[in-house]
């Protein structure tokens, strides 16, 4: 919904929605906002527009009493990421909606629209309409305002600030409902508000104002007894749960109902509320289409099952099911979810909460759509039973009738004047449910199924997931008794996790513990920890998690069965369509269609758009079924591991010639390195697990190739620990690998990982081993790579003469092997040596030749490194404008490839160039961006260097407090770099003196 002044097209304007899950759009494109803590930080700024919020306030508001270990250091990182996500390409941070102030950060609300601002506008219109006596317009405005709410405000956003705002906005929403209901009562539209007020009094059982409004609405509809029942129920709750009697407002309404005092109950406002025909609201005849024929006297049935004991959680889902229904139509609400997730318990709880709204009965039908050992219920039989339930003695008693159309017509005729709740449990298809829909306006049908019944017209749908961990622990604790000792509480939490938070599994485990009190909780947790036996433990009498899964699996078509089996073998928890495509040799679109079919069957969960996962217990079952198909398992694993190898090689900056053995990196499904890198980015921190999984299942070559391919991808993001972890796994397998190139290559990769962190001695040991092995095998490329890396790190360690000799030898081998990438590396690094010794012209020629060759082979990372060196050279030559041009280009390339350490270093040099050009504000902003980018991820002295240079800047501007803070933080981050530490400590003592020109 557009706020005032916003164009209908949206353009590139930013829009935010907080009256529900936090969302953001630029124009019509929805933006990804990153992790929930990052979203919480955005919320803390967004809802205080134009106000500067300090870092400490952000820490307190987002993390509360448990701040992160890095303290306020994480704030600039989150701000940097938010600026990237919210900005448009080419937008500088100075043009961002998040502005850096001296005291913190500020959200700039200009050219930004929010649903909160829109809500404020509409509510003001509603108040103005009410005050002018136009109650119809006021009701319309309040209805429009309430439509802006899309669930709980700021749903799932953590932190004290978001919690406080969530409470404030929820209370505001409740106040709007009451204002709207008050006007509706004054207009005589009492029938419109009864259902909504019933639902709200269930979710807010202690709100006396809501109860009073509901009593007035019921009285206006000639339901005096129901109004008195509301008072009795509310009073019982208040006395039992709060220890207090109702307040004055509710007592006055109660007395007015007893005395039939319409002055208080209906004419509560001095404004006229008579209709055009002069009748009062209680006298007005109904105008809707609902039939007015007298209902036959019959016994009202309540067939709802017994409410499940210990029902836990599901507050949001219940709110959806309890929402007011259309008084003039039949409302259908559908609940789907995996086996054992608690669908029936949820709809029964909802139906019981609403049964007073449906005076003609509550019916329950089990269609046995997914019940082992039971045939699905036949529609003819179900309709005959339903007809008997509503007292139709005709078709309902004719057991021989097989005319489905006739039975359906009789059912609709019998229910045309009834207002019912019908619970249809365990449907397998929409066509099972359609004939069972009653015809009475205002009736409600609640349907459960493991399938997503998209063919059924429903006004609300709930896809039920397992309980969250706290609710799962609470449910299991209720079953097994008391909180117990600390170890017992920990064991209960572990049991809840091993049960995948699935209510059926939790109840089975609880029953087993109840039946064997001598079993310790820790012992049960140990039994469930074994995947081979877990499903066998989750069975008691006729309850079995495995049996529940088996019914869903057996009902799948063969293609979906095969896909389900292999998905249990995925080396990552989440996956996209490329994973089953590789495992099953399908095209990506075909694989996506199969995945969506499994989602519809509630066997696969859609974790995010394009991302899927199996719940833990479902994955255990899938692997168990797959065990009967060994050839299928072998092919699937080969396919998925080769997919990861190709992605890693395609994403590497080293180029195709760096991988002469194993799968070619330029094969499908990745069109270029950016697409492959984005795919690996989506995998996130599970890449080490993929290597470990390949090793564990005997795919030795795949594990080695993947570790090799990931070296460049991980190190350029500063993920050195993960890189070394993959190498350690793969190096332990090299003796078993058929590709013996891995023996030397993985040592080279390990040396690179150590050297990039400044661990030069460890790097040399690994690289010398690699060189010795490759010389024995006569592998020129491996020799060149090892020699080149030794040369680079020798130069970094302050040994330029040795570095030059090693690089020259590497260059000769690279030229003999016609490896352009290694040649570029040689030229760039030999240029760096000439630069160090002051031979600037020779260095410039080397850099220029390296740039030309890097552009030719199209490797953006090494081109960025060379431009970085070229920019640094021009800086030293005093050619600041030329330096800035080269460094800006280098920064763009480094950001594009995701090389965080390189990007931060380039920004630092660019800041120096801007400083020399007189742009001091721009230089400071660039260094802040560099610091936010690198954080603590590089593991080198880069962060300390950036802080040190910022300290000099603040000292030069006589901002001594900021200068000291920068220097002290630099000292803390320089402990592993004695030289850097010395320079920083020197800065602390000389903070009033000018710093060095070079960054």
């Amino acid at each position: 919904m557009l706020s005032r002044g916003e164009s209908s097209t949206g353009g590139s304007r930013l829009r935010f929605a907080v009256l529900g899950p936090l969302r953001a759009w630029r124009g019509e494109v929805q933006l990804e906002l990153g992790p929930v803590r990052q979203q919480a930080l955005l919320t803390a700024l967004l809802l205080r527009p134009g106000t500067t919020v300090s870092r400490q306030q952000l820490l307190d508001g987002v993390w509360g009493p448990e701040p992160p270990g890095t303290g306020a250091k994480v704030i600039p990182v989150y701000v940097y990421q938010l600026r990237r996500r919210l900005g448009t390409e080419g937008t500088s941070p100075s043009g961002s909606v998040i502005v850096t102030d001296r005291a913190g950060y500020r959200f700039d609300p200009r050219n930004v629209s929010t649903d909160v601002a829109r809500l404020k506008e509409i509510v003001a219109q509603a108040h103005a309409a009410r005050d002018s006596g136009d109650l119809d317009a006021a009701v319309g405005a309040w209805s429009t305002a309430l439509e802006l709410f899309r669930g709980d405000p700021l749903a799932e956003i953590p932190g004290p600030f978001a919690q406080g705002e969530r409470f404030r906005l929820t209370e505001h929403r409740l106040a709007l409902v009451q204002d709207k209901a008050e006007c509706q009562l004054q207009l005589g539209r009492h029938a419109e508000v009864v259902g909504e007020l019933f639902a709200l009094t269930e979710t807010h059982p202690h709100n006396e104002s809501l109860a009073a409004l509901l009593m007035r609405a019921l009285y206006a509809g000639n339901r005096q007894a129901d109004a008195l029942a509301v008072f009795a129920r509310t009073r019982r709750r208040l006395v039992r749960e709060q220890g207090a009697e109702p307040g004055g407002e509710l007592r006055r309404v109660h007395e007015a109902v007893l005395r039939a005092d319409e002055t208080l109950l209906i004419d509560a406002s001095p404004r006229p509320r008579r209709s055009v025909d002069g009748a009062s609201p209680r006298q007005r005849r109904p105008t809707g289409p609902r039939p007015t024929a007298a209902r036959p006297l019959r016994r009202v049935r309540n067939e709802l099952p017994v409410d499940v004991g210990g029902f836990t959680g599901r507050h949001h889902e219940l709110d959806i099911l309890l929402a007011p229904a259309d008084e003039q139509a039949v409302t259908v609400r559908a609940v789907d979810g995996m086996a054992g997730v608690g669908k029936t318990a949820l709809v029964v709880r909802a139906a019981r909460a609403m049964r007073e709204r449906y005076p003609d009965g509550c019916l329950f039908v089990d269609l046995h759509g997914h019940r082992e050992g039971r045939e699905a219920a036949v529609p003819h039989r179900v309709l005959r039973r339903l007809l008997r339930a509503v007292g139709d003695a005709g078709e309902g008693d004719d057991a021989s009738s097989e005319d489905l159309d006739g039975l359906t017509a009789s059912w609709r005729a019998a229910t045309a004047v009834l207002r019912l709740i019908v619970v249809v449990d365990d449907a397998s298809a929409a066509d099972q449910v359609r004939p069972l829909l009653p015809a009475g306006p205002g009736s409600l049908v609640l349907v459960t199924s493991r399938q997503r019944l998209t063919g059924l017209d429903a006004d609300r749908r709930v896809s039920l997931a397992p309980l969250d961990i706290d609710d799962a622990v609470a449910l299991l604790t209720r079953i097994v008794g008391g909180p117990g000792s600390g170890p017992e509480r920990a064991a209960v939490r572990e049991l809840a996790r091993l049960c995948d938070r699935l209510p059926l599994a939790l109840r089975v485990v609880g029953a087993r513990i109840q039946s064997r009190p001598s079993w310790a909780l820790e012992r049960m947790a140990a039994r469930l920890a074994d995947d081979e036996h877990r499903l066998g433990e989750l069975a008691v009498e006729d309850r079995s998690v495995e049996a529940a899964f088996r019914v869903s699996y057996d009902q799948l078509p063969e293609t979906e069965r095969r896909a389900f089996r292999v998905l249990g073998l995925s080396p990552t928890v989440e996956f996209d369509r490329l994973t089953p495509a590789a495992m099953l040799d399908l095209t990506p679109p075909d694989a996506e269609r199969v995945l969506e079919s499994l989602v519809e069957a509630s066997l696969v969960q859609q974790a995010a758009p394009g991302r899927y996962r199996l719940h833990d217990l479902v994955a255990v079952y899938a692997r168990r079924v797959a065990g009967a198909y060994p050839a299928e398992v072998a092919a699937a694993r080969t396919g998925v591991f080769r997919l990861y190898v190709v992605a890693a090689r395609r994403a590497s900056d080293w180029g195709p010639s760096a991988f002469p053995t194993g799968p070619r990196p330029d094969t499908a499904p990745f069109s270029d390195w950016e697409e492959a890198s984005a795919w690996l980015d989506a995998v996130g921190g599970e890449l080490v697990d993929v290597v470990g999984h390949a090793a564990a299942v005997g795919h030795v070559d795949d594990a080695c190739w993947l570790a090799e391919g990931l070296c460049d991808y991980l190190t350029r993001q500063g993920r050195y620990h993960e890189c070394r972890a993959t190498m350690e796994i793969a190096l332990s397998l090299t003796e078993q690998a058929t590709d013996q190139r891995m023996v030397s290559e993985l040592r080279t990769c390990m040396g690179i990982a150590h050297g990039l962190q400044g661990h030069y001695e460890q790097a040399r040991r690994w690289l010398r081993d690699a060189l010795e092995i490759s010389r024995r095998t006569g592998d020129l490329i491996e020799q060149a790579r090892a020699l080149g890396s030794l040369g680079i790190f020798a130069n970094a360690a302050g040994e330029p003469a040795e570095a030059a000799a090693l690089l020259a030898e590497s260059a000769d081998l690279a030229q003999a092997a016609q490896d352009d990438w290694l040649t570029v590396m040689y030229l760039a690094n030999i240029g760096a040596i000439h630069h160090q010794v002051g031979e600037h012209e020779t260095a410039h020629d080397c850099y220029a030749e390296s740039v030309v060759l890097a552009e030719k082979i199209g490797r953006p990372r090494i081109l960025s490194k060379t431009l970085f060196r070229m920019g640094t050279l021009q800086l030293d030559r005093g050619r600041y404008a030329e330096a800035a041009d080269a460094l800006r280009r280098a920064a763009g390339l480094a950001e594009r490839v995701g090389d965080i350490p390189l990007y931060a270093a380039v920004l630092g040099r660019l800041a120096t160039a801007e400083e020399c050009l007189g742009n001091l504000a721009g230089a400071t902003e660039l260094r802040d961006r560099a610091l936010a980018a690198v954080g603590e991820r590089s593991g080198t002295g880069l962060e300390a260097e950036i802080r040190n240079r910022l300290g000099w800047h603040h000292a030069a501007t006589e901002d001594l407090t900021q200068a000291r803070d920068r220097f002290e933080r630099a000292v803390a981050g320089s402990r592993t770099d004695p030289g850097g530490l010395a320079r920083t400590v020197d800065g602390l003592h000389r903070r009033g003196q000018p710093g060095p020109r070079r960054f």
Side-chain angles (χ1 to χ4, degrees):
M1 187 171 293
L2 300 173
S3 60
R4 186 180 297 124
E6 184 176 354
S7 69
S8 60
T9 61
S12 61
R13 184 173 186 173
L14 271 176
R15 294 182 291 129
F16 292 91
V18 301
L19 300 176
L22 178 63
R23 297 286 186 270
W25 297 265
R26 181 169 288 285
E28 299 303 318
V29 178
Q30 185 169 344
L31 306 178
E32 290 291 335
L33 297 177
V36 291
R37 292 288 181 188
Q38 187 169 295
Q39 294 183 40
L41 188 143
L42 172 60
T43 300
L45 295 170
L46 177 64
L47 293 183
R48 290 185 276 207
T51 301
T52 299
V53 186
S54 70
R55 293 189 181 184
Q56 188 58 50
Q57 287 176 307
L58 290 173
L59 277 177
D60 294 341
V62 176
W63 283 272
E66 297 181 0
T70 56
K73 291 181 182 178
V74 74
I75 301 296
V77 178
Y78 279 179
V79 169
Y80 169 73
Q81 294 293 343
L82 286 169
R83 283 171 173 164
R84 287 189 61 191
R85 292 175 185 274
L86 299 177
T88 55
E89 187 173 355
T91 301
S92 67
S94 60
S96 172
V97 292
I98 301 178
V99 180
T100 302
D101 279 351
R102 206 162 180 178
Y105 299 96
R106 171 172 47 84
F107 190 89
D108 185 352
R110 292 174 299 175
N111 298 318
V112 174
S113 62
T114 66
D115 55 357
V116 173
R118 178 60 177 153
L119 179 70
K120 186 176 180 180
E121 292 176 2
I122 299 172
V123 170
Q125 294 168 11
H127 285 303
R130 182 190 62 189
D131 294 343
S132 67
D134 190 351
L135 300 186
D136 283 307
V139 169
W142 270 311
S143 298
T144 302
L146 288 166
E147 288 173 0
L148 294 176
F149 288 88
R150 298 165 293 104
D152 291 337
L154 299 171
E156 299 182 2
I157 300 297
F161 179 82
Q163 180 62 31
E165 289 298 297
R166 187 179 301 116
F167 178 80
R168 179 181 69 81
L169 292 170
T170 301
E171 289 297 305
H172 186 39
R173 178 185 189 181
L174 198 59
L176 297 180
V177 171
Q178 294 179 68
D179 286 341
K180 183 186 79 165
E182 183 68 57
C183 284
Q184 287 172 303
L185 288 177
Q186 293 171 23
L187 288 166
R189 292 156 59 177
H190 52 83
E192 297 177 6
V193 302
V194 169
E196 185 173 22
L197 290 175
F198 256 123
L200 286 171
T201 55
E202 289 297 324
T203 54
H204 303 277
H206 305 127
N207 190 311
E208 297 181 40
S209 295
L210 284 175
L213 277 170
L214 177 57
M215 290 177 67
R216 290 170 55 197
L218 289 169
Y219 179 83
N222 293 315
R223 298 169 66 179
Q224 184 179 26
D226 290 338
L228 294 173
V230 170
F231 176 82
R233 184 171 64 251
T234 305
R235 181 182 179 277
R236 283 196 303 271
R237 286 172 173 168
L238 290 170
V239 172
R240 182 175 63 248
E241 299 171 19
Q242 305 290 326
E245 289 286 343
E249 178 189 12
L250 192 56
R251 289 200 307 272
R252 283 192 296 273
V253 171
H254 178 236
E255 292 170 2
V257 172
L258 291 173
R259 297 195 312 269
D261 182 358
E262 295 192 4
T263 303
L264 176 64
L265 296 173
I266 299 176
D267 299 326
S269 169
R271 299 185 185 91
R273 285 165 306 285
R274 293 275 172 179
S275 64
V276 292
D277 59 4
S280 73
R282 270 175 68 89
Q283 296 168 333
R284 190 181 305 166
R285 291 188 299 274
T287 58
R290 182 162 182 163
T292 58
R295 301 177 185 176
L297 292 175
R298 66 180 186 85
R299 181 182 176 186
V300 175
R301 293 172 65 98
N302 180 359
E303 298 180 347
L304 295 177
V306 175
D307 205 357
V308 64
F311 186 89
T312 304
R314 308 301 197 195
H315 305 297
H316 175 67
E317 294 85 353
L318 274 171
D319 286 345
I320 294 174
L321 297 182
L322 294 174
D326 188 342
E327 296 281 336
Q328 304 301 328
V330 176
T331 299
V332 178
R333 289 174 181 166
V335 178
D336 62 78
M338 62 188 290
V341 79
K343 301 180 292 294
T344 303
L346 175 66
V347 297
V348 169
R349 173 58 62 98
R352 285 190 168 276
M354 295 186 287
R355 65 181 183 270
E356 292 183 3
R357 306 184 209 168
Y358 299 89
D360 298 309
C362 303
L363 306 182
F364 183 89
V365 177
D366 190 345
L367 296 181
H368 305 300
H370 304 86
R371 188 70 56 83
E372 190 171 37
R374 292 289 299 270
E375 292 185 4
V378 180
H380 311 77
R381 186 178 304 166
V382 174
L383 281 168
R384 286 195 293 270
R385 192 188 75 71
L386 286 172
L387 284 165
R388 289 193 297 272
V390 297
D392 191 297
E395 292 286 355
D397 287 336
D398 183 2
S400 64
S401 175
E402 294 297 329
D403 180 7
L404 181 59
D405 290 340
L407 286 168
T408 303
S410 296
W411 167 243
R412 289 172 181 163
T415 58
V417 295
L418 303 181
R419 184 172 178 175
L420 299 164
I421 288 182
V422 180
V423 175
V424 181
D425 192 37
D426 197 19
S428 60
D431 57 11
Q432 271 190 309
V433 180
R434 291 193 200 98
L436 311 181
L437 300 180
S443 290
L444 173 67
V445 181
L446 301 176
V447 185
T448 75
S449 177
R450 296 187 194 179
Q451 304 285 332
R452 290 186 175 176
L453 304 180
T454 52
L456 187 67
D457 293 330
D459 82 321
R460 299 276 197 285
R461 295 183 187 274
V462 174
S463 290
L464 205 57
L467 296 166
D468 65 42
I469 188 63
D470 291 332
D471 286 337
V473 169
L475 174 58
L476 190 54
T477 301
R478 286 195 186 100
I479 297 171
V480 302
S485 63
E488 287 177 338
R489 288 195 296 273
V492 167
R493 195 171 191 86
E494 178 64 8
L495 280 170
R497 186 190 68 79
L498 291 169
C499 289
D500 203 16
R501 300 165 286 117
L502 194 68
L504 173 60
L506 293 165
R507 293 186 181 278
V508 168
V509 165
R512 295 196 66 184
I513 294 173
Q514 285 175 336
S515 65
R516 300 188 182 184
S518 61
W519 278 19
L521 293 168
E522 295 91 335
R523 180 183 176 189
M524 191 67 194
R527 293 169 71 93
L528 287 181
D530 183 357
D531 274 1
E532 292 294 321
H533 302 98
R534 190 186 309 184
L535 291 176
E537 296 289 339
L538 295 177
V540 58
E541 294 186 359
D542 62 339
R543 284 182 166 185
S544 167
V545 173
E546 182 174 6
F549 292 160
R550 184 166 54 245
V551 174
S552 295
Y553 170 75
D554 288 343
Q555 293 182 355
L556 294 173
E558 180 52 37
T559 301
E560 278 79 358
R561 286 191 199 181
R562 181 170 171 245
F564 174 72
R565 293 194 294 266
V566 302
L567 287 174
L569 308 171
S570 169
T572 58
V573 174
E574 288 190 7
F575 45 83
D576 67 354
R577 65 181 188 168
L578 295 187
T579 296
M583 298 173 102
L584 298 169
D585 194 22
L586 297 174
T587 64
D590 286 343
E592 186 170 24
R593 280 190 287 272
V594 172
L595 282 169
E596 288 298 326
S597 179
L598 290 171
V599 169
E600 294 295 322
S602 296
L603 285 169
V604 169
Q605 180 189 22
Q606 190 164 33
R611 302 289 297 174
Y612 305 85
R613 61 169 292 161
L614 270 66
H615 286 288
D616 291 349
L617 289 177
V618 176
V620 171
Y621 177 71
R623 289 193 290 272
R624 173 173 287 193
V625 178
Y629 302 85
E632 188 174 88
V633 169
R637 281 178 170 157
T638 297
V640 74
F641 290 135
R642 295 298 163 84
L643 172 68
Y644 277 90
V645 172
V646 169
R649 291 182 166 190
R650 188 71 160 144
S652 173
D653 194 60
W654 294 348
S657 62
F659 308 104
T661 56
R664 289 184 53 80
D666 54 356
T667 56
F670 305 105
S671 60
D672 55 28
W673 67 268
E674 286 182 291
E675 191 175 314
S677 295
W679 190 79
L680 292 173
D681 290 344
V683 178
E686 292 188 84
L687 289 171
V688 178
D689 296 333
V690 177
V691 177
H693 189 62
V697 297
H699 281 252
V700 173
D701 283 334
D702 290 319
C704 293
W705 290 331
L706 180 54
E708 173 200 22
L710 289 173
C711 180
D712 177 69
Y713 170 79
L714 292 173
T715 55
R716 74 178 180 230
Q717 296 186 21
R719 294 159 66 179
Y720 302 111
H721 177 74
E722 292 174 66
C723 182
R724 292 200 309 272
T726 63
M727 296 306 155
E728 287 166 1
I729 294 169
L731 280 165
S732 67
L733 306 171
T734 52
E735 296 304 320
Q736 307 168 42
T738 58
D739 184 359
Q740 284 299 293
R741 183 178 67 86
M742 294 293 101
V743 179
S744 61
E745 171 60 12
L746 292 176
R747 284 168 167 77
T748 298
C749 291
M750 183 66 96
I752 290 171
H754 278 292
L756 288 173
Q757 280 193 282
H759 306 155
Y760 300 130
E761 283 307 311
Q762 296 96 315
R764 282 171 171 166
R765 286 196 295 270
W766 285 107
L767 292 168
R768 285 167 182 158
D769 283 350
L771 180 59
E772 182 181 345
I773 294 167
S774 59
R775 279 173 172 165
R776 287 202 304 266
T777 60
D779 190 325
L780 297 182
I781 293 293
E782 291 303 316
Q783 291 178 58
R785 287 172 57 75
L787 283 165
S789 299
L790 280 168
I792 291 170
F793 298 133
N795 189 41
E799 300 168 1
E802 181 183 353
L806 289 166
L807 288 167
E809 189 178 353
S810 171
D812 291 340
L813 292 171
Q815 289 173 352
Q818 297 183 333
D819 190 310
D820 287 341
W821 189 91
L822 287 172
T823 302
V824 172
M825 185 184 73
Y826 161 74
L827 288 168
N829 284 281
I830 203 69
I833 295 174
H834 286 297
H835 182 182
Q836 288 173 231
V837 298
E839 298 173 355
H840 290 172
E841 289 299 329
T842 305
H844 182 275
D845 292 343
C846 289
Y847 290 155
E849 189 177 351
S850 179
V851 167
V852 171
L853 190 53
E855 289 174 334
K856 172 190 168 186
I857 63 175
R859 311 314 297 178
R861 187 184 181 214
I862 199 165
L863 176 57
S864 176
K865 287 183 174 180
T866 306
L867 287 167
F868 173 44
R869 290 188 170 101
M870 176 72 86
T872 303
L873 173 66
Q874 300 291 39
L875 206 58
D876 287 348
R877 298 170 79 183
R879 299 177 179 179
Y880 304 129
E882 294 175 33
D885 289 341
L887 291 168
R888 287 193 195 98
R889 189 178 171 198
L893 289 166
E895 184 177 24
R896 181 182 166 199
V897 299
D899 191 325
I900 294 172
L902 177 60
Y903 178 61
V906 174
L907 289 179
R909 290 287 192 273
L910 181 56
T912 302
E914 294 289 353
E915 193 174 52
C916 294
L917 290 168
N919 183 8
L920 298 183
T924 302
E925 191 269 338
L926 285 166
R927 291 194 178 98
D928 282 331
R929 282 171 57 192
L931 189 59
V934 75
E936 296 181 336
R937 298 180 62 180
S938 69
T940 68
L942 182 56
E943 182 189 5
E945 288 287 342
I946 296 169
R947 291 192 186 281
N948 190 35
R949 193 67 187 90
L950 283 167
W952 284 116
H953 171 77
H954 288 302
T957 58
E958 297 186 356
D959 187 350
L960 302 187
T961 301
Q962 282 282 2
R964 184 172 188 85
D965 177 69
R966 298 292 191 183
F967 285 134
E968 287 175 344
R969 289 174 180 267
V971 169
S974 304
R975 300 298 180 186
T976 59
D977 180 5
L981 179 60
R983 289 190 301 275
T984 305
V985 172
D986 181 55
L988 279 169
H989 293 294
R990 299 168 52 230
R991 60 181 182 269
Q993 302 178 30
R997 293 295 296 175
R998 278 188 59 194
F999 170 72

